[in-house]
Amino acid sequence: MGRDWKFYAQLGLTIVLCLFIMIPVVMSALAGVTVNVFKGLSSGLTLRWIFEVWDLYAASIVRSLGISIACLLVTLVAGVPLAYVLVRRPGRLTRLFEELLTLPVAIPGLALALALLITYGGFGQYRMSWLFILTGHVLFTLPFMVRSVAAVMAAMDMKTLEEGAASLGAGFWRRFFGVIVPNAKPGILAGALMVVTLSIGEFNLTWMLHTPLTKTLPVGLADAYASMRLEIGSAYTLIFFVLIVPLLIAMQAFADTAKRPPKRDDTAEDTI
């Protein structure tokens, strides 16, 4: 079957859109390794700006990664059981709770940060620590974890799985961790992907919650563009890409692996 002009028109439009998105990314990355951004590549290549970014913002980069990992752990511990309850016990109260859970996503990040400052800003040590930022990140990312896991749990016959495991003598916790959680793995991995990426890249909420001693990667990136040479800001962006892109690829690979059906044992079938 031949391909008509519509196929090539769609292909051309897709390529144009991809170039429109990717060219600024490439230009920003190149600016971070050129001697002078205004002269371009003719000024030569250098790693000076990357080393300067690391010297100035290494603590912010490491802190941002630590907060994203802590955020992932908290949302896993809280989000998976919450998704189970929402799916297993549907009703008015669970629907109301689900709506309240999504409020942090619906309201602007600055408004959420202001609410946290008004409520907990008086606790000095807590306010000055990275745990304050972690609280905001958990509130913002928890709905994504719950929705992803709940969607997978709702698609499987959870009641039948639990009844089958219970008939074999499995208690609640064994049914939950041995049956429900493994079957919900695709949703858990998808939720983990969103939580980590959203936490690392979150700026609006973090900008209001941070202190000079608790800057994260996006806040440091904004400072670099506002107060440093353009090359340093671009080098900071390049470091951000180096950190986030391999993480995205790795987590996507895990998610794809979890979605694949198990391989058939042809040898066993032949024996039967």
Side-chain angles (χ1 to χ4, degrees):
M1 181 177 179
R3 295 172 177 174
D4 57 8
W5 66 271
K6 293 182 180 180
F7 169 80
Y8 293 104
Q10 293 172 349
L11 178 62
L13 179 61
T14 302
I15 293 174
V16 170
L17 290 175
C18 289
L19 290 175
F20 182 78
I21 295 172
M22 292 303 300
I23 288 177
V25 175
V26 174
M27 294 299 294
S28 179
L30 288 176
V33 293
T34 55
V35 175
N36 190 310
V37 66
F38 299 105
K39 294 182 179 179
L41 293 176
S42 60
S43 63
L45 299 177
T46 180
L47 296 177
R48 171 189 170 186
W49 312 119
I50 294 178
F51 290 132
E52 286 197 24
V53 168
W54 185 255
D55 290 338
L56 292 171
Y57 299 104
S60 298
I61 295 171
V62 174
R63 185 180 301 110
S64 191
L65 291 174
I67 290 175
S68 66
I69 294 173
C71 184
L72 173 60
L73 294 176
V74 174
T75 53
L76 281 174
V77 172
V80 177
L82 278 175
Y84 173 81
V85 173
L86 292 175
V87 174
R88 196 69 175 85
R89 299 285 187 269
R92 292 183 179 180
L93 289 178
T94 54
R95 286 197 298 270
L96 176 61
F97 180 80
E98 188 175 4
E99 294 299 325
L100 293 175
L101 186 66
T102 57
L103 275 180
V105 180
I107 64 177
L110 295 177
L112 178 60
L114 182 60
L116 290 173
L117 287 170
I118 293 174
T119 307
Y120 303 112
F123 299 90
Q125 293 297 323
Y126 176 52
R127 169 68 182 91
M128 299 297 291
S129 72
W130 61 271
L131 293 174
F132 197 52
I133 298 176
L134 175 62
T135 303
H137 283 207
V138 169
L139 290 175
F140 178 68
T141 59
L142 183 59
F144 294 93
M145 176 64 76
V146 174
R147 286 295 182 90
S148 297
V149 179
V152 174
M153 287 184 175
M156 63 187 185
D157 192 352
M158 200 159 52
K159 184 178 180 180
T160 302
L161 290 174
E162 285 195 281
E163 289 177 351
S167 67
L168 297 174
F172 171 77
W173 294 111
R174 189 170 183 181
R175 295 198 305 268
F176 183 75
F177 289 105
V179 178
I180 302 301
V181 171
N183 280 279
K185 188 184 294 184
I188 295 173
L189 290 173
L193 173 64
M194 287 189 286
V195 167
V196 172
T197 53
L198 287 172
S199 178
I200 290 179
E202 167 54 39
F203 172 75
N204 291 332
L205 186 148
T206 311
W207 182 76
M208 283 196 69
L209 297 182
H210 87 282
T211 67
L213 298 178
T214 57
K215 287 183 180 180
T216 61
L217 195 152
V219 176
L221 177 60
D223 289 347
Y225 273 110
S227 59
M228 301 289 182
R229 289 187 57 168
L230 187 59
E231 293 89 345
I232 292 182
S234 298
Y236 203 125
T237 304
L238 183 58
I239 291 177
F240 180 84
F241 286 145
V242 170
L243 290 175
I244 197 66
V245 171
L247 179 64
L248 291 175
I249 294 174
M251 297 190 74
Q252 187 62 49
F254 281 122
D256 291 341
T257 301
K259 293 177 182 178
R260 293 173 188 165
K263 294 182 178 180
R264 297 175 58 186
D265 192 347
D266 296 333
T267 304
E269 291 181 359
D270 293 340
T271 302
I272 295 173

